[in-house]
Amino acid sequence: MRLRNVPGAREAIQESHLTVNKPQDNKGKWNQEFGNENPIRIEIGMGKGKFILQLAKENPNINYVGIEKYSSVLIRAIEKCQELDIKNLRFIRMDAEYICDVFAKGEVDRIYLNFSDPWPKDRHAKRRLTSKQFFERYDFILKKDGVVEFKTDNDLLFQFSLEQVPEAGWKLVQSTWDLHNDEEMNQGNIMTEYESKFSAMGNPIHKLIASR
Ligand code: SAM
């Protein structure tokens, strides 16, 4: 993602009622944040939030938390959420590495990863959001029958992810190398910002769903 410095973004994020500034205080109590017992789904690396905003709008009976490490893009998601007056969505500015400090065991119903950074160098493999090190974290926060859904157009990252699923002791529920031409998996698909951009360039979109 091309990141421009947005002056004042960090302060505006901190001041927004949609941001959870001390997310570790919500661990095990996210339902209190939303004031209901609805399931909680998260997107890690949500960028400007096109995908999670649409999901939240379409599913008012599900609660969503968007996680993003950079203020310059997160601020755009927050502005849009305010504009659309969406009630079932909160944001955290953090590195997902610390996700287990923020959600209790089994507190999350589903995890979305979209067009995650590829970290092409081998020595950075454990930073990839679909590495077995991240699946260990997901194993903690995700409820027993919860799933991880991952989309990308990056062949190498997708191949790596397909291999990490069994390596981490997880199962592949479904996968496709060409989501937009897979009638079953594409049903109800919500395009992310990167997905729109890369599919317009002719890149096939890959998707996998993993469970334990
Ligand atoms: N998901 C969006 C989409 O599909 O349009 C944005 C994709 S962009 C390539 C990846 C985003 O993930 C960036 O905004 C980046 O800052 C964020 N990101 C990458 N690693 C992260 C991490 N460890 N924790 C939180 N956010 C992360």
Side-chain angles (χ1 to χ4, degrees), residues 138-152:
Y138 306 152
D139 186 38
F140 177 74
I141 64 169
L142 200 59
K143 69 175 196 182
K144 219 171 116 219
D145 56 351
V147 295
V148 172
E149 297 198 6
F150 170 56
K151 294 196 278 189
T152 184

Side-chain angles (χ1 to χ4, degrees), residues 17 74 143:
H17 67 283
L74 178 53
K143 69 175 196 182

Side-chain angles (χ1 to χ4, degrees), residues 1-3 43-51 67-71 73-74 92-98 112-119 127-129 134 151 191-198:
M1 175 154 296
R2 198 155 154 243
L3 296 172
E43 184 187 8
I44 300 178
M46 29 133 304
K48 294 179 194 159
K50 178 175 182 266
F51 173 85
I67 296 167
E68 170 54 53
K69 67 179 171 183
Y70 288 118
S71 306
V73 281
L74 178 53
I92 309 174
R93 189 182 61 76
M94 67 176 279
D95 190 316
E97 195 183 334
Y98 306 106
Y112 297 100
L113 310 170
N114 293 313
F115 295 80
S116 310
D117 294 344
W119 293 105
R127 296 187 192 173
R128 298 174 193 151
L129 293 181
F134 267 97
K151 294 196 278 189
M191 297 252 253
T192 80
E193 184 186 352
Y194 271 59
E195 184 172 355
S196 303
K197 194 164 83 184
F198 291 130

Side-chain angles (χ1 to χ4, degrees), residues 13 16-20 33-34 46-58 62-66 73-92:
I13 289 168
S16 170
H17 67 283
L18 299 171
T19 312
V20 178
E33 173 70 34
F34 291 101
M46 29 133 304
K48 294 179 194 159
K50 178 175 182 266
F51 173 85
I52 200 165
L53 282 156
Q54 185 65 29
L55 264 185
K57 213 164 80 173
E58 286 182 12
I62 297 173
N63 298 322
Y64 294 91
V65 181
V73 281
L74 178 53
I75 188 64
R76 301 299 174 224
I78 291 175
E79 286 166 355
K80 196 81 193 158
C81 192
Q82 267 159 355
E83 196 183 306
L84 297 172
D85 197 25
I86 293 172
K87 308 276 188 227
N88 54 329
L89 177 55
R90 297 288 184 281
F91 300 98
I92 309 174

Side-chain angles (χ1 to χ4, degrees), residues 142-194:
L142 200 59
K143 69 175 196 182
K144 219 171 116 219
D145 56 351
V147 295
V148 172
E149 297 198 6
F150 170 56
K151 294 196 278 189
T152 184
D153 70 323
N154 185 305
D155 294 351
L156 288 176
L157 180 63
F158 193 63
Q159 186 57 47
F160 168 84
S161 309
L162 286 172
E163 289 162 14
Q164 289 292 286
V165 169
E167 182 118 350
W170 287 54
K171 292 185 206 107
L172 204 57
V173 179
Q174 265 182 311
S175 71
T176 175
W177 284 84
D178 191 0
L179 176 65
H180 296 173
N181 287 305
D182 182 317
E183 206 179 316
E184 195 191 331
M185 284 193 80
N186 198 41
Q187 225 174 14
N189 183 49
I190 294 175
M191 297 252 253
T192 80
E193 184 186 352
Y194 271 59

